Amino acid sequence: MSYARQVDREFVARLERFPLVRLRIRYEDIEPMRRRRMQHLLDAAAALVRAPWRGIRPAARACYSRAEFEDLLREHLRLYAAEVHALGGSVRPALLVAPVRERLRALMESRADSLARDVAALLYAAAMR
């Protein structure tokens, strides 16, 4: 069993204390997104570790332009939002989360843009000085 599935099972076991809420995780919907997100993060981490400089700032600057790093982070955050959205569809009864499910995804995606921009600005700021 994968580590992610073990974490999911432990979470579902804790939810069983709430009699009106059930979580049936549809792995066929979630695992492709989860794999894509994790591979995306693993590829970025591998690139940063291979960089000949120590520290996140020099490594990021060696591997990515500011725009590339911002795009990389934005894509990771959007993949995470898609995964959270898919997980929200696993809640039963679905009516409990239906009103907020779409709003949450839209909020996460809009925040992905500003968060990626802010993090890239902080990471690359010292290079501008």
Side-chain angles (χ1 to χ4, degrees):
M1 172 184 346
S2 73
Y3 177 72
R5 281 196 182 200
Q6 179 61 35
V7 169
D8 293 343
R9 285 182 189 209
E10 291 171 9
F11 179 74
V12 169
R14 285 192 304 257
L15 268 183
E16 288 177 358
R17 293 181 284 173
F18 303 101
L20 298 177
V21 178
R22 291 288 172 254
L23 189 64
R24 188 185 134 262
I25 299 174
R26 298 182 326 246
Y27 286 103
E28 63 277 6
D29 296 338
I30 295 165
E31 281 191 345
M33 283 180 274
R34 188 176 271 175
R35 277 195 186 104
R36 189 169 155 218
R37 181 179 59 81
M38 289 176 162
Q39 189 61 53
H40 189 262
L41 188 58
L42 183 63
D43 292 345
L48 293 172
V49 169
R50 283 192 307 267
W53 294 273
R54 293 183 186 252
I56 188 67
R57 282 185 170 150
R61 291 179 194 137
C63 296
Y64 304 103
S65 70
R66 179 177 169 170
E68 289 170 331
F69 187 83
E70 186 177 323
D71 289 344
L72 181 82
L73 184 55
R74 181 183 301 107
E75 178 63 15
H76 177 74
L77 293 170
R78 286 186 175 188
L79 288 169
Y80 184 70
E83 186 179 334
V84 168
H85 185 261
L87 281 167
S90 300
V91 175
R92 298 291 175 248
L95 292 175
L96 290 175
V97 295
V100 296
R101 195 167 161 232
E102 291 302 322
R103 286 188 8 224
L104 177 61
R105 183 176 188 172
L107 177 65
M108 289 178 77
E109 287 182 352
S110 72
R111 296 291 186 205
D113 291 337
S114 62
L115 182 60
R117 193 172 32 258
D118 291 349
V119 169
L122 287 171
L123 197 62
Y124 287 81
M128 306 281 202
R129 294 178 191 166

